[in-house]
Amino acid sequence: FTPETDAPIATAFMFTTNGGTIKYSTTQNGTYSTTIPTGKNAGSYTVWWYLDGGNNYNSTSKKSISVTINKANPTYTAPKAISNLTYNNSAQTLITAGSNTTPGSFTYKLSTASSYSTALPKGTAAITYTVNWMFTPTDTTNYNSKSGNISVTIGGAPAVDYTYSFGYTGSIQTFTAPVAGYYNLEVWGAQGGRSRADGALKDTGGYGGYSSG
């Protein structure tokens, strides 16, 4: 398929005769002429021809040849993975959008999704994703559709050591994690108090509870 112009769909027969003229038609019983038929759109064509003997020679029977114009490949730039992504507890766009000269549109989806959309896929977790893409030309009669997939990785964020200390308040205290993630908690309960006898403090209170995990 060549969008700018019609192209010949049959070449002239090259052989020597003592007389006569080769004539062509796109239908068996249509109008024949010496003009070679042309076609523009992709598809299958049938060209009919015969040798017209004129006044002095017998004409040949009509014969046909099959000709195919293949679909053209579209002109486009495929989407690309965004590099150096690092986990930040937010959804991040995984690829850059594709671009095209041939009229049409790109659609995308994560490999785990069921359907394509024009929205660029995003990911939050620090894992490797597979993004599928598809380019569909406006003119599907004359242009091929294209598709592919891209591997994109969101790397893990550097580990951060948070230490929180809680002084005694006499009330229950609550800890709220500052960011989503996995935490190792190491906690101690309050030490027991000392006993008192005859107005004097005795003994030492036991250690409070301890837990880690």
Side-chain angles (χ1 to χ4, degrees):
F1 170 69
T2 304
E4 292 79 8
T5 184
D6 289 357
I9 54 176
T11 57
F13 294 92
M14 303 302 293
F15 57 86
T16 302
T17 67
N18 291 326
T21 304
I22 297 176
K23 294 184 177 181
Y24 311 90
S25 176
T26 55
T27 59
Q28 183 178 9
N29 298 315
T31 301
Y32 284 75
S33 73
T34 57
T35 301
I36 297 177
T38 61
K40 179 176 181 179
N41 292 324
S44 297
Y45 296 83
T46 299
V47 177
W48 290 86
W49 67 274
Y50 77 99
L51 179 62
D52 184 349
N55 295 326
N56 298 316
Y57 297 92
N58 293 323
S59 297
T60 65
S61 61
K62 296 174 181 177
K63 300 183 182 298
S64 66
I65 56 174
S66 296
V67 184
T68 299
I69 295 179
N70 296 317
K71 290 185 179 182
N73 288 322
T75 302
Y76 69 95
T77 299
K80 294 180 174 60
I82 295 177
S83 59
N84 301 319
L85 294 174
T86 302
Y87 175 80
N88 63 7
N89 197 36
S90 298
Q92 301 183 73
T93 301
L94 299 172
I95 61 171
T96 60
S99 60
N100 52 289
T101 301
T102 302
S105 60
F106 280 92
T107 52
Y108 317 89
K109 78 178 187 73
L110 292 174
S111 59
T112 54
S114 58
S115 59
Y116 285 83
S117 76
T118 56
L120 296 177
K122 295 184 178 182
T124 300
I127 59 174
T128 296
Y129 298 85
T130 298
V131 178
N132 298 330
W133 62 267
M134 181 182 299
F135 176 73
T136 304
T138 302
D139 181 2
T140 55
T141 298
N142 293 310
Y143 288 94
N144 293 310
S145 296
K146 294 293 181 178
S147 61
N149 60 74
I150 306 168
S151 180
V152 190
T153 299
I154 295 180
V160 178
D161 185 11
Y162 292 99
T163 301
Y164 295 88
S165 298
F166 296 85
Y168 175 76
T169 65
S171 301
I172 295 175
Q173 299 182 61
T174 302
F175 169 73
T176 301
V179 295
Y182 296 95
Y183 289 79
N184 181 63
L185 300 180
E186 189 174 21
V187 295
W188 291 264
Q191 182 178 359
R194 300 175 67 183
S195 62
R196 181 181 293 274
D198 300 326
L201 293 174
K202 303 289 186 179
D203 305 320
T204 300
Y207 292 116
Y210 170 81
S211 181
S212 176

